[in-house]
């Protein structure tokens, strides 16, 4: 079976070559226009890019068209000639600016069509899907005009594509519905765009029920202009007052006395039907009040200020003639004026027991309800067998249930009965039935039993109890001198001589002065070393003093420091004992502990990091004597220069702070960070040798202006001043640039294409004139009759434009 190679067969290749040859011949015979898209527009206009019409471009397709692999598109090519369009794109108030600034995906060729013939219009907006919604007006309701034909831009915009004349709206809508349009304009004004957005948001689709003020009842039948009077914009419509009085003030029979909220009583369904919920007021209607007619309280139709006190309406019904005040509800209710009731608890006097059967007038003489006494004695004084000796509070013993039997809870008094006191008769203490001011001290009753004859005071309960007078005990721990150790078994009279307890001294020395072998040198507080357990075997804890013993000090005998048994005033400085051991002869002061320890005197160490001069790098291994000459430590200088003056190759020009460039690790390999100075190195300056600027090794006072080094490179001979960095950079001296916008004469339009020498003749820059006529001599036709301000008529874009 033979394989088939398709067009790769010999016959296929021959046919392909013949076809290509035929196409090439046809292209040559037709002047290379076999694939011509058609002639370009030939309508002439102002010269742009060297041509007056696209037809003059001819076969230079690349003037407009770009290849797929180029970074720019056709629109970028267009603005190379149409520079005025590029300027409009920067201004959002223009059509091109609005499209460009809003990033709309519309290219030049979307609206401007070519190759349609030499006389065809180059601008055609028919069928262009312009994003109208981005500008606040949708074409949803304007897809066609009044004739049923697809709408064109000029139907609404005429000559101005950024604006719509309201008259244009009126022309169309009057033809559609003249009566409605006329009424609508009279009601809401002629500025249609103030409300309409093409989506009918505030037109047929507007739903008043979704607003803050839904239309209900008769409000739904009112014309818009009935509430929205002379309001011509959305903002004005939205600020319409929603208060009832704004529309109904003229029919307000209350003359504003009831405020602005008419809906408290009235409803939009019916103005005349009134419904008021009195419970929303401060005076709720209850009982008989709920069925009382309004004018029963609101006389002459006056609603505000109506009194709410009972007495204001019931004055004629008050049989108490005001003696009970104006709060009738204390006894009466709104359900029924009779019978009355009074809660005695509201006046802090509860009626209970036999008091419930006493008629009111028995206590309230002559109907006096306010000054009646609450004291028991005011009614029961005549039958008081105590004749007032127990005061007026009869309820302390008696109750309202019955005058007898009586009871008194002594534990509720300030003297509670315990032990034997519970079985004593009242008269044993309350002589002659006198209860008030009975004395309460033990001595008042037991003075005859006091074997101490008052030496221990009158508080017998310190030792005795109410359970039994005998077997008294005394808790010495409750005094200022608790008994411990051997003191516990000492007989009381050993300390309290002759039965005297008050004023007994409690210092150790008062009893042990004969035992003090120190002759008072340790003071009177024997407890510092001795204990109450035993007098012998005294110990002293040196850690509780200002001088704690550590190291070798712990095993030193007391007498080694406390000479001749003298303890007070013993010095605590190292030097006091070790002055003979001080090999430094006092140059290090008296605080030996800085280098030495109590563990051992030898092997002293010194931490230089605790001084103002910390040792780092090579300094750590330097011998002390290298810096501290002749064993002198105080006043040793700490500046680098003090030791390294002979190493200073800069001869002091860099000052004495060598650490700016050098480190303690190594003297060589010094580095200097120029960025820490006022003159930071950038660009080519970074690689410049130090001595190129710092001549002869002089660093201080080196000038930092560009001109100081680059005077010989200044081709402007100083005409631009000394600030070379206005145009040059440190990266490279050549390729200088100047931003003319930083000067008072900014370059625009054609001025940007003029070479510098076109205005700055002979390389002179300072003093260059900025008037138009200095470069643009006025033509003869002006005959000197016009001013020198050419920019009144001409622009930098085009001199010939007028």
């Amino acid at each position: 079976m033979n394989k088939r190679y398709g067009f790769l067969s010999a016959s296929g290749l021959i046919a392909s070559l013949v076809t290509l040859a035929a196409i090439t011949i046809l292209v040559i015979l037709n002047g290379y226009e076999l694939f011509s898209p058609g002639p370009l527009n030939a309508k002439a206009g102002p010269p742009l890019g060297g041509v007056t019409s696209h037809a003059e471009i001819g076969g230079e397709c690349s003037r407009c068209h770009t290849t797929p692999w180029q970074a720019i598109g056709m629109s970028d090519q267009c603005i190379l000639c149409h520079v005025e369009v590029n300027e409009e794109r920067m201004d959002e108030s223009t059509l091109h600016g609005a499209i460009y600034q809003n990033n709309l995906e519309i290219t030049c060729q979307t609206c401007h069509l070519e190759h349609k013939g030499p006389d065809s219009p180059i601008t055609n907006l028919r069928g262009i899907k312009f994003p109208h919604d981005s500008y606040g007006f949708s074409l949803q309701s304007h897809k066609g005009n009044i004739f049923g034909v697809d709408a064109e831009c000029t139907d609404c915009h005429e000559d101005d594509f950024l604006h719509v004349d309201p008259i244009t709206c009126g022309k169309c809508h009057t033809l559609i519905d003249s009566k409605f349009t006329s009424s609508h304009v009279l009601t809401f004004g002629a500025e249609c765009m103030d409300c309409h957005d093409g989506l009918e948001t505030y037109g047929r689709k507007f739903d008043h029920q979704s607003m803050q003020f839904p239309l209900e009842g008769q409000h739904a039948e009112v014309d818009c202009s009935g509430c929205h009077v002379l309001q011509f914009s959305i903002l004005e419509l939205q600020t319409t007052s929603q208060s009832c009085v704004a529309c109904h003030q003229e029919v307000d029979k209350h003359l504003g006395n009831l405020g602005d909220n008419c809906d408290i009583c009235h409803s939009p369904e019916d103005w005349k039907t009134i419904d008021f919920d009195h419970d929303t007021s401060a005076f709720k209607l209850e009982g008989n009040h709920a069925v009382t007619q309004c004018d029963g309280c609101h006389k002459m139709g006056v609603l505000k200020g109506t009194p709410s006190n009972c007495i204001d309406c019931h004055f004629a019904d008050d049989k108490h003639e005001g003696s009970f005040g104006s709060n009738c509800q204390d006894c009466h209710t709104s359900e029924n004026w009779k019978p009355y009731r009074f809660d005695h608890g509201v006046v802090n006097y509860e009626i209970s027991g036999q008091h419930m059967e006493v008629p009111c007038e028995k206590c309230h003489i002559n109907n006096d309800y306010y000054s009646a006494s609450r004291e028991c004695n005011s009614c029961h004084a005549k039958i008081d067998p105590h004749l007032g000796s127990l005061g007026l509070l009869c309820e302390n013993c008696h109750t309202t249930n019955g005058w007898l039997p009586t009871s008194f809870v002594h534990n509720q008094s300030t003297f509670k009965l315990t032990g034997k006191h519970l079985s004593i008769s009242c008269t044993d203490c309350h002589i002659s039935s006198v209860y008030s001011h009975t004395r309460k001290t033990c001595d008042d009753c037991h003075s005859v039993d006091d074997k101490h004859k008052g030496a221990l005071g009158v508080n017998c309960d310190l030792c005795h109890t109410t359970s039994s007078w005998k077997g008294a005990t005394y808790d010495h721990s409750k005094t200022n001198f608790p008994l411990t150790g051997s003191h516990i078994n000492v007989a009381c009279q050993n300390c309290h001589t002759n039965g005297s307890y008050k004023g007994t001294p409690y210092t150790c020395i008062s009893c042990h002065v004969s035992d003090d072998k120190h002759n008072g040198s340790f003071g009177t507080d024997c407890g510092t070393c001795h204990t109450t357990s035993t007098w012998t075997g005294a110990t002293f804890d040196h850690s509780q003093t200002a001088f704690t013993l550590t190291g070798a000090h712990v095993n030193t005998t007391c007498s080694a420091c406390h000479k001749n048994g003298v303890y007070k005033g013993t010095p605590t400085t190292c030097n006091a004992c070790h002055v003979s051991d001080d090999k430094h002869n006092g140059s290090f002061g008296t605080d030996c502990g800085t280098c030495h320890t109590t563990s051992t005197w030898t092997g002293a160490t010194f931490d230089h990091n605790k001084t103002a001069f910390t040792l780092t790098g090579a300094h750590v291994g330097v011998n002390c004597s290298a810096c501290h000459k002749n064993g002198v430590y105080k006043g040793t200088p700490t500046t680098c220069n003090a030791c390294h003056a002979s190493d200073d190759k800069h001869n002091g020009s860099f000052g004495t702070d060598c650490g700016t460039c050098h480190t303690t690790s190594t003297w060589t390999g010094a580095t200097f960070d120029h960025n820490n100075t006022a003159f930071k190195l950038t660009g080519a300056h970074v690689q410049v040798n130090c001595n190129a600027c710092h001549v002869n090794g002089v660093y201080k006072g080196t000038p930092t202006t560009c001109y100081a080094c680059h005077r010989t490179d200044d081709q402007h001979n100083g005409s631009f001043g000394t600030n070379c960095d206005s145009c040059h950079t440190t990266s490279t001296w050549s390729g200088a640039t100047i931003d003319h916008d930083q000067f008072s004469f900014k370059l625009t339009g054609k001025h940007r294409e003029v070479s510098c020498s076109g205005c700055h003749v002979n390389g002179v820059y300072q003093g260059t004139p900025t008037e138009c006529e200095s470069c643009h001599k006025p033509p003869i036709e002006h005959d000197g009759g016009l001013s020198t301000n050419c920019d009144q008529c001409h622009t930098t874009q085009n001199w010939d434009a007028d």
Side-chain angles (χ1 to χ4, degrees):
M1 182 177 180
N2 295 330
K3 293 183 179 180
R4 299 180 62 85
Y5 293 94
F7 74 92
L8 292 179
S9 63
S11 59
L13 291 172
I14 294 172
S16 299
L17 293 173
V18 172
T19 301
L20 289 173
I23 293 174
T24 302
I25 295 171
L26 289 173
V27 170
I28 295 173
L29 293 177
N30 285 278
Y32 298 96
E33 294 184 357
L34 181 63
F35 304 106
S36 173
L40 294 168
N41 186 283
K43 288 188 176 182
L48 296 173
V51 298
T52 58
S53 71
H54 286 177
E56 296 180 20
I57 296 175
E60 299 179 48
C61 302
S62 61
R63 289 282 295 272
C64 298
H65 296 279
T66 59
T67 59
W69 52 84
Q70 286 181 284
I72 60 175
M74 286 185 65
S75 294
D76 298 314
Q77 295 286 76
C78 295
I79 62 173
L80 292 178
C81 291
H82 298 280
V83 291
E84 75 283 356
V85 174
N86 191 37
E87 292 181 359
E88 288 181 8
R89 292 202 302 179
M90 301 299 107
D91 184 2
E92 194 172 1
S93 64
T94 65
L95 179 61
H96 290 113
I99 294 173
Y100 183 77
Q101 295 294 335
N102 287 278
N103 297 318
L104 304 180
E105 296 181 357
I106 297 179
T107 61
C108 300
Q109 56 268 32
T110 304
C111 303
H112 303 290
L113 308 178
E114 253 300 358
H115 298 295
K116 297 297 182 181
D119 298 323
S120 63
I122 199 166
T123 300
N124 186 358
L125 300 180
R126 182 185 294 275
I128 299 301
K129 294 182 179 179
F130 188 79
H132 238 277
D133 291 353
S134 301
Y135 293 89
F137 192 89
S138 173
L139 295 182
Q140 182 173 324
S141 301
H142 291 77
K143 295 180 180 179
N145 57 27
I146 59 175
F147 303 108
V149 180
D150 289 347
E152 295 189 15
C153 303
T154 53
D155 288 344
C156 298
H157 293 284
E158 295 183 351
D159 297 328
D160 187 353
F161 289 104
L162 286 179
H163 301 90
V164 175
D165 191 338
I167 297 176
T168 305
C169 301
K171 289 178 181 178
C172 286
H173 287 280
T174 299
L175 294 175
I176 297 172
D177 190 340
S178 60
K179 182 177 180 181
F180 170 79
T181 303
S182 299
S183 174
H184 197 67
V185 170
L186 289 173
T187 303
F188 297 108
E191 294 296 329
C192 309
M193 305 295 287
D194 285 350
C195 298
H196 293 282
D197 57 2
L199 295 172
E200 289 299 308
T201 303
Y202 297 99
R204 288 189 296 271
K205 293 182 180 180
F206 180 73
D207 182 12
H208 217 295
Q209 304 307 103
S210 62
M211 300 294 105
Q212 291 183 351
F213 191 86
L215 300 181
E216 300 172 349
Q218 295 187 18
H219 285 166
E221 301 175 7
V222 178
D223 190 70
C224 301
S225 59
C227 298
H228 302 291
V229 181
L230 298 177
Q231 293 174 334
F232 302 138
S233 67
I234 294 299
L235 180 60
E236 291 176 343
L237 292 172
Q238 291 174 340
T239 55
T240 302
S241 175
Q242 298 180 12
S243 67
C244 306
V245 76
C247 291
H248 300 287
Q249 186 173 10
E250 294 182 358
V251 295
D252 181 14
K253 295 182 179 181
H254 312 296
L255 302 178
N257 292 325
L258 297 184
D260 299 342
N261 296 328
C262 307
D263 53 354
I264 294 177
C265 301
H266 302 275
S267 72
E269 302 295 337
D270 184 8
W271 181 258
K272 293 182 178 181
T273 301
I274 299 174
D275 182 15
F276 180 69
D277 184 3
H278 225 287
D279 286 348
T280 61
S281 69
F283 191 85
K284 297 178 174 57
L285 299 183
E286 299 172 346
N288 287 332
H289 288 166
V291 295
T292 302
Q293 292 297 318
C294 300
D295 55 3
C297 297
H298 301 288
K299 306 295 183 181
M300 306 297 291
V302 176
L303 303 179
K304 276 193 175 181
T306 301
S308 56
N309 292 326
C310 304
I311 198 66
D312 294 322
C313 288
H314 298 285
F315 180 78
D317 304 322
D318 182 15
K319 295 183 178 181
H320 313 294
E321 298 180 352
S323 62
F324 277 179
S326 58
N327 294 328
C328 307
Q329 67 270 17
D330 287 346
C331 301
H332 302 274
T333 68
S334 60
E335 301 294 338
N336 191 358
W337 186 255
K338 297 178 181 180
Y340 63 87
R341 55 102 181 104
F342 182 71
D343 182 5
H344 237 281
V346 300
V347 293
N348 296 325
Y349 190 82
E350 294 283 354
I351 301 296
S352 61
Q354 294 185 13
H355 284 172
M356 298 287 289
E357 302 174 3
V358 177
C360 300
E361 59 271 13
K362 189 74 174 179
C363 297
H364 301 286
I365 310 300
N366 298 323
N367 290 328
D368 183 0
Y369 291 88
Y370 287 93
S371 60
S373 175
R374 302 179 182 183
E375 305 297 339
C376 303
N377 189 60
S378 63
C379 289
H380 301 287
K382 294 180 180 180
I383 56 174
D384 179 14
H386 313 297
L387 302 177
S389 63
L390 295 184
L392 305 179
L393 301 177
C394 307
E395 64 269 19
N396 286 343
C397 301
H398 303 275
T399 68
T400 59
N401 292 323
W403 191 252
L404 294 173
T406 62
S407 63
F408 181 72
V409 182
H410 222 287
N411 287 341
Q412 293 181 354
S413 69
T414 56
F415 190 85
K416 296 177 175 58
L417 300 181
T418 60
K420 295 291 186 180
H421 287 170
L422 289 171
S423 57
I424 295 175
S425 173
C426 300
T427 56
D428 288 343
C429 295
H430 302 288
I431 309 300
S432 301
S433 296
V434 176
Y435 293 86
S436 293
H437 306 297
T438 300
R439 302 187 68 180
K440 305 171 186 177
T441 63
C442 304
D443 187 64
D444 293 326
C445 291
H446 299 284
S447 59
V448 296
D449 303 320
D450 183 13
K451 294 181 179 181
H452 313 294
K453 299 179 181 180
L456 296 183
V458 296
N459 293 329
C460 308
D461 55 351
L462 293 176
C463 302
H464 301 273
T465 66
T466 59
S467 298
S468 175
W469 183 256
K470 295 180 179 181
T473 59
Y474 184 73
D475 187 1
H476 225 285
S477 64
K478 294 182 178 179
T479 68
N480 292 329
F481 191 83
L483 300 181
T484 60
S486 297
H487 286 171
I488 296 174
N489 298 319
V490 175
C492 300
Q493 59 269 22
N494 285 2
C495 295
H496 302 287
T497 309
N498 301 321
S500 177
Y501 292 85
K502 283 188 176 181
T504 302
Y506 49 83
T507 60
C508 302
I509 200 69
S510 62
C511 289
H512 298 283
V513 63
S514 60
D515 302 322
D516 182 14
K517 295 181 180 182
H518 311 297
N519 298 320
S521 62
F522 277 178
T524 61
D525 189 6
C526 308
T528 304
C529 302
H530 300 273
T531 67
T532 59
S533 298
T534 176
W535 183 256
T536 59
T539 60
F540 182 73
D541 186 1
H542 225 286
S543 64
Q544 294 183 358
T545 68
F547 190 84
T548 303
L549 300 182
T550 59
H553 286 169
V554 174
N555 298 320
T556 301
T557 62
C558 301
S559 58
C561 296
H562 302 287
K563 305 293 183 181
N564 301 320
V566 177
Y567 291 86
K568 282 189 176 181
T570 302
T572 58
T573 62
C574 304
N575 193 57
C577 289
H578 298 283
V579 63
S580 60
D581 302 322
D582 183 13
K583 295 181 180 181
H584 312 297
N585 299 320
S587 62
F588 277 178
T590 60
D591 188 6
C592 309
T594 304
C595 302
H596 299 273
T597 67
T598 59
S599 298
T600 175
W601 182 257
T602 58
T605 60
F606 181 72
D607 187 0
H608 223 288
N609 290 335
K610 293 182 178 179
T611 68
F613 189 83
T614 305
L615 299 183
T616 59
H619 285 170
V620 175
V622 175
N623 192 279
C624 300
S625 59
C627 296
H628 302 287
K629 306 292 183 183
N630 301 320
V632 177
Y633 292 86
K634 282 189 175 180
T636 302
T638 58
T639 62
C640 305
N641 192 60
C643 290
H644 297 285
S646 59
D647 302 322
D648 184 13
K649 296 181 179 180
H650 312 297
N651 299 320
S653 62
F654 275 1
T656 60
D657 189 7
C658 309
T660 304
C661 303
H662 300 273
T663 66
T664 58
S665 298
T666 174
W667 182 257
T668 58
T671 60
F672 182 72
D673 187 359
H674 223 289
N675 288 334
N676 291 329
T677 68
F679 189 83
K680 295 178 176 58
L681 300 183
T682 59
H685 285 170
V686 175
Q687 306 299 331
V688 175
N689 193 278
C690 300
N691 56 19
C693 296
H694 303 287
V695 182
N696 298 323
V698 177
Y699 292 85
K700 283 189 175 180
T702 303
T704 58
T705 62
C706 306
Y707 206 68
C709 289
H710 296 285
R711 179 189 296 273
T712 57
D713 301 322
D714 183 16
Q715 298 180 0
H716 313 297
N717 299 320
S719 62
F720 275 1
T722 60
N723 292 329
C724 308
D725 55 356
S726 298
C727 304
H728 299 273
T729 66
T730 59
S731 298
T732 174
W733 182 259
S734 58
T737 60
I738 180 75
D739 184 4
H740 225 287
D741 287 345
Q742 295 181 358
F743 299 95
S744 58
F745 189 84
K746 296 177 175 56
L747 300 183
T748 60
K750 294 294 185 181
H751 285 171
R752 291 186 176 276
E753 303 173 7
V754 178
S755 65
C756 300
S757 58
C759 297
H760 303 288
V761 183
N762 297 324
V764 177
Y765 292 86
Q766 290 189 347
T768 302
T770 58
E771 295 82 7
C772 301
E773 69 168 357
S774 63
C775 290
H776 302 283
K777 300 300 180 182
I780 299 175
E781 54 266 26
H782 292 333
D783 194 23
L786 300 178
S787 68
T788 59
N789 295 328
C790 308
D791 55 358
Q792 291 182 353
C793 302
H794 300 275
T795 67
T796 59
Q797 300 294 336
N798 192 350
W799 181 259
D800 295 329
D802 53 27

